[in-house]
Amino acid sequence: QVQLVESGGGLVQAGGSLRLSCAASGSIFSINVMGWYRQAPGNQRELVATITTTGSTNYGDSVKGRFAISRDNAKNTVYLQMNSLKPEDTAVYYCYTAGVDPGSRWYEYWGQGTQVTVSS
């Protein structure tokens, strides 16, 4: 089992910045991907950004150039720096981790979510 604890959400004005953090604990294996997805009311959950243990990143089209994902492997923590926020960034942001365990089984876990609200 893996536990993901998110922090850093809140209310910010358009054009502002927020930084999300997600700390993982439990049965964490050496090779995995961590990242963030988001879901706004009435919408499907969508990719924000992911990062592998080797630092390879992937971003959703709507956040490219504004958001930056990073991780501290020693702390099993992933960060999302969100700049130039827009009202359409308003959503619940979910931390995510996935990978393959020593038994070659795929696993994935989700955090509880943290609300980000951007006012116009």
Side-chain angles (χ1 to χ4, degrees):
Q1 282 283 44
V2 174
Q3 293 77 44
L4 300 172
V5 178
E6 301 133 329
S7 60
L11 173 64
V12 64
Q13 289 189 330
S17 299
L18 280 176
R19 188 188 193 216
L20 304 183
S21 300
C22 174
S25 61
S27 301
I28 301 166
F29 303 107
S30 59
I31 299 176
N32 61 69
V33 60
M34 296 188 75
W36 298 89
Y37 284 72
R38 68 186 183 187
Q39 188 167 19
N43 291 355
Q44 291 187 331
R45 192 170 294 190
E46 64 173 0
L47 168 71
V48 177
T50 59
I51 185 169
T52 68
T53 47
T54 57
S56 295
T57 59
N58 185 36
Y59 291 92
D61 288 341
S62 61
V63 306
K64 286 179 181 177
R66 299 187 297 122
F67 291 11
I69 190 169
S70 60
R71 65 185 289 169
D72 184 333
N73 290 331
K75 295 181 179 179
N76 293 313
T77 299
V78 63
Y79 306 96
L80 183 69
Q81 179 66 43
M82 304 185 292
N83 299 325
S84 302
L85 282 160
K86 304 175 181 179
E88 50 263 44
D89 294 317
T90 296
V92 177
Y93 284 68
Y94 294 92
C95 183
Y96 168 81
T97 188
V100 178
D101 70 15
S104 299
R105 291 178 295 264
W106 178 258
Y107 68 88
E108 58 182 40
Y109 293 95
W110 295 89
Q112 293 295 312
T114 185
Q115 178 70 45
V116 171
T117 302
V118 184
S119 62
S120 56

